[in-house]
């Protein structure tokens, strides 16, 4: 079984199997003929995840077991043109490229709404606040924060005064 840290990460939902681990899992089924249940228990993997790994392996070989794939804008555009210009169905593109149906649909949507710019990889998450460059900017930022905090404190005091006698 895995070490303690891997088990903790799995419990938090933050662990991804390495390529070697995925390969061992697939081999346990394909070469050693273990049951799905035995593999799920041994590797602490859900049945649906295991079935997905096996399906990907059957359809696309070892390469499909490699972790997160990033596709260039040029590759996305090539696939999109094959659909729109050559008339190849999304299902055929899915089988041919190994890219999931939902991802292809997202690429098509991004392309239709934003053109080629929509195919570039975007950073996810909240953008960082720009850091002040000069001491004056830093002082101004702190003054604004103080104003916000004072207003919040005043609102809290008004709320306390209004609700202090209602208990």
């Amino acid at each position: 079984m895995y070490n303690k840290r891997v088990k903790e990460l799995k419990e938090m939902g933050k662990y991804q199997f390495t390529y070697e681990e995925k390969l061992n899992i697939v081999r346990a089924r394909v070469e050693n003929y273990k049951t799905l249940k035995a593999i799920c228990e041994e590797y602490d993997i859900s049945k649906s995840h295991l079935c997905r790994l096996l399906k990907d392996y059957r359809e696309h070989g070892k390469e499909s077991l490699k972790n997160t794939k990033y596709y260039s804008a040029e590759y996305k555009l090539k696939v999109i043109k094959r659909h729109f210009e050559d008339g190849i169905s999304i299902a055929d593109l899915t089988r041919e490229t190994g890219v999931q149906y939902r991802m292809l649909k997202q690429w098509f949507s991004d392309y239709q709404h934003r053109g080629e710019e929509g195919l570039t990889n975007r950073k996810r998450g909240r953008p960082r606040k720009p850091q002040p460059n000069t001491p004056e900017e830093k002082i101004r930022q702190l003054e604004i924060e103080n104003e916000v905090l004072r207003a919040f404190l005043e609102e809290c005091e008004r709320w306390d005064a209004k609700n202090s006698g209602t208990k």
Side-chain angles (χ1 to χ4, degrees), residues 72-74 76-77 80-81 107 110-122:
S72 67
E74 294 80 23
K76 293 176 186 179
L77 186 60
I80 288 169
K81 285 185 177 181
W107 291 356
D110 291 344
Y111 180 72
Q112 288 175 327
H113 289 102
R114 297 179 47 223
E116 288 185 31
E117 183 183 308
L119 302 177
T120 58
N121 291 330
R122 301 180 302 272

Side-chain angles (χ1 to χ4, degrees), residues 2 40 61 80 82 113 116 123 128-129:
Y2 295 104
C40 290
I80 288 169
R82 296 217 44 222
H113 289 102
E116 288 185 31
K123 289 189 176 183
R128 290 181 173 212
K129 291 181 180 177

Side-chain angles (χ1 to χ4, degrees), residues 72-120:
S72 67
E74 294 80 23
Y75 179 77
K76 293 176 186 179
L77 186 60
K78 184 175 127 183
V79 172
I80 288 169
K81 285 185 177 181
R82 296 217 44 222
H83 175 66
F84 287 119
E85 294 175 4
D86 299 340
I88 297 177
S89 72
I90 298 173
D92 288 340
L93 286 172
T94 299
R95 280 189 290 278
E96 181 182 310
T97 62
V99 178
Q100 291 183 0
Y101 180 86
R102 286 179 296 165
M103 186 175 286
L104 289 175
K105 292 290 281 182
Q106 185 62 52
W107 291 356
F108 298 150
S109 175
D110 291 344
Y111 180 72
Q112 288 175 327
H113 289 102
R114 297 179 47 223
E116 288 185 31
E117 183 183 308
L119 302 177
T120 58

Side-chain angles (χ1 to χ4, degrees), residues 2-13:
Y2 295 104
N3 64 33
K4 186 177 178 182
R5 180 67 182 143
V6 170
K7 192 164 180 109
E8 290 172 1
L9 288 170
K10 279 187 178 182
E11 288 171 2
M12 293 187 297

Side-chain angles (χ1 to χ4, degrees), residues 36-148:
L36 295 178
K37 183 177 180 181
I39 295 170
C40 290
E41 289 174 1
E42 181 179 345
Y43 290 94
D44 194 24
I45 184 174
S46 70
K47 186 177 177 183
S48 62
H49 190 183
L50 174 58
C51 289
R52 182 75 190 162
L53 284 177
L54 293 169
K55 179 178 184 267
D56 287 346
Y57 178 77
R58 277 192 310 273
E59 292 178 0
H60 305 290
K62 290 181 187 179
E63 287 298 309
S64 67
L65 302 178
K66 294 201 172 165
N67 288 334
T68 309
K69 299 172 186 163
Y70 296 96
Y71 300 96
S72 67
E74 294 80 23
Y75 179 77
K76 293 176 186 179
L77 186 60
K78 184 175 127 183
V79 172
I80 288 169
K81 285 185 177 181
R82 296 217 44 222
H83 175 66
F84 287 119
E85 294 175 4
D86 299 340
I88 297 177
S89 72
I90 298 173
D92 288 340
L93 286 172
T94 299
R95 280 189 290 278
E96 181 182 310
T97 62
V99 178
Q100 291 183 0
Y101 180 86
R102 286 179 296 165
M103 186 175 286
L104 289 175
K105 292 290 281 182
Q106 185 62 52
W107 291 356
F108 298 150
S109 175
D110 291 344
Y111 180 72
Q112 288 175 327
H113 289 102
R114 297 179 47 223
E116 288 185 31
E117 183 183 308
L119 302 177
T120 58
N121 291 330
R122 301 180 302 272
K123 289 189 176 183
R124 293 178 180 228
R126 185 183 304 184
R128 290 181 173 212
K129 291 181 180 177
Q131 295 296 320
N133 296 329
T134 64
E136 292 81 20
E137 289 176 347
K138 181 70 174 169
I139 291 169
R140 182 63 191 139
Q141 181 184 12
L142 292 172
E143 287 173 346
I144 291 171
E145 288 176 14
N146 283 340
E147 288 176 27
V148 169

